[in-house]
Amino acid sequence: MAQELVYGLHAVQALLKSAPQQVQELLLLRGRRDQKLQKIIRQAEQNDIAIRFVERRVLDEKVGDDGNHQGALAICASATKVYDEQFLKSLLQDLDSRSEAPFLLILDGVTDPHNLGACLRSAEAAGVHAVIAPKDNAAGLTPTARKVACGAAEVLPFITVTNLARTLQMLQQAGVWIYGAAGEAEQDIYQTQLTGPLALVMGAEGPGLRRLTRENCDHLIKIPMAGEVSSLNVSVATGVCLFEAVRQRVR
C-alpha cells in the first residue's frame, strides 16, 4: 500500500481532525513539549494512533528538501483526497438545494506547489467551496503543497479535471459566471460585481491564462497596479481577488 507523508503542525493537526483513520503512525520531535505539539498528541491518543518520538535528523531525512516539518510528521495510507468533475456536479446540486451561490477558485496550470498551497490557504480562509485545477501540467497535492496550505488541503475539496475548458462550459450551463484574471483586461476587480454564482480563474506563473481558458471566461478582470511591477505572484493575486469578492459578498 502506498504511503504518503503529511508534515507541519497545521497540516498534521487538520489531518487528525478531518481524517484520523488515514494516519498509520505519527512521528514527533523528541524533547518538544509546547502546547501545539501537546494538542496533536491528545488528538492522536483519542484516535489510538501510534506515536513515535524521534530525533530531528529522522524527521529531516523523511522530509528531505521539501520543507520544514516543525517537529510533526504523519505517515498515512493515503492522505490525498482528490475529487473529480462528478463531485463538482454533486457540489453544485447541493449548493443549489441550499440556495447558496457557488464560490469557486480555478487554477489554470499553476505548477509550483508552494503557490498551490498558498492559493489553497487563501481560498479556505475566504470561504471558497472548492478549488479546481487541470490534472496535467499542474501542481498536485504534494507534501510541500499541503505544508504551505497550513491545513487547508485537508478540509477544502481539490478537484482535478481532464478538460478545463469543458469544465468551464459546464459551470456556465449551471449558472456560474466565470471571471478570469488577466493583466491586459480593461475592467479591474474593484469595478466588477463579484457577487452571485462565481468562479474566479487564475493563470499559471508567467504565461497566465491559456487561450482556451480565456475564450471560455465570461469576463476578464485585472488588479490595478500603481507601481513599476507589471504583475503579482499568482498566490498573492489570488488572495487579492478572492477577498475583494468576499468584501462584496458580505455587504
Side-chain angles (χ1 to χ4, degrees):
M1 182 181 295
Q3 290 184 329
E4 294 185 19
L5 302 180
V6 174
Y7 55 82
L9 293 172
H10 293 289
V12 170
Q13 188 173 322
L15 180 63
L16 289 172
K17 182 178 180 181
S18 63
Q21 72 280 0
Q22 294 178 342
V23 182
Q24 297 177 327
E25 186 180 24
L26 199 58
L27 273 59
L28 302 178
L29 180 63
R30 180 177 286 125
R32 180 168 178 170
R33 290 292 182 267
D34 57 86
Q35 289 186 354
K36 290 182 179 179
L37 207 64
Q38 290 302 316
K39 186 173 183 179
I40 287 176
I41 292 172
R42 288 195 298 271
Q43 285 179 296
E45 290 175 342
Q46 289 169 2
N47 290 282
D48 295 321
I49 294 170
I51 301 175
R52 181 155 54 102
F53 294 94
V54 299
E55 302 298 329
R56 181 174 294 277
R57 62 174 178 79
V58 176
L59 295 171
D60 291 343
E61 289 172 1
K62 289 280 189 183
V63 172
D65 296 329
D66 283 343
N68 178 18
H69 50 70
Q70 298 176 305
L73 182 149
I75 300 175
C76 309
S78 178
T80 302
K81 191 172 184 181
V82 179
Y83 301 86
D84 58 16
E85 193 168 295
Q86 192 58 47
F87 172 84
L88 177 59
K89 293 177 181 178
S90 298
L91 174 63
L92 293 175
Q93 291 172 356
D94 180 59
L95 292 172
D96 182 63
S97 70
R98 293 187 277 125
S99 299
E100 188 171 349
F103 186 21
L104 306 169
L105 172 63
I106 299 173
L107 302 175
D108 184 22
V110 170
T111 57
D112 186 333
H114 293 88
N115 282 335
L116 172 60
C119 289
L120 289 170
R121 184 175 182 179
S122 293
E124 199 279 331
V128 165
H129 293 113
V131 176
I132 303 167
K135 283 184 179 179
D136 299 323
N137 301 314
L141 285 182
T142 64
T144 298
R146 287 178 174 277
K147 167 66 172 54
V148 176
C150 290
E154 281 65 49
V155 295
L156 179 63
F158 181 65
I159 300 170
T160 60
V161 297
T162 55
N163 188 318
L164 187 57
R166 184 178 62 200
T167 299
L168 294 177
Q169 293 165 7
M170 183 272 288
L171 289 171
Q172 289 169 325
Q173 291 170 3
V176 178
W177 289 87
I178 312 294
Y179 289 83
E184 73 278 8
E186 295 183 1
Q187 190 172 357
D188 73 48
I189 60 171
Y190 304 114
Q191 300 169 334
T192 305
Q193 183 174 328
L194 299 175
T195 57
L198 169 69
L200 177 66
V201 190
M202 307 301 297
E205 305 93 339
L209 299 177
R210 291 176 294 173
R211 180 183 60 83
L212 273 178
T213 303
R214 288 170 184 266
E215 291 176 357
N216 282 283
C217 290
D218 295 301
H219 301 282
L220 293 179
I221 57 176
K222 66 179 180 181
I223 299 172
M225 306 290 289
E228 296 296 323
V229 176
S230 60
S231 64
L232 298 173
N233 173 278
V234 62
S235 64
V236 175
T238 296
V240 172
C241 292
L242 285 177
F243 279 92
E244 170 57 21
V246 170
R247 184 189 69 81
Q248 294 185 23
R249 296 165 82 87
V250 298
R251 284 189 303 190

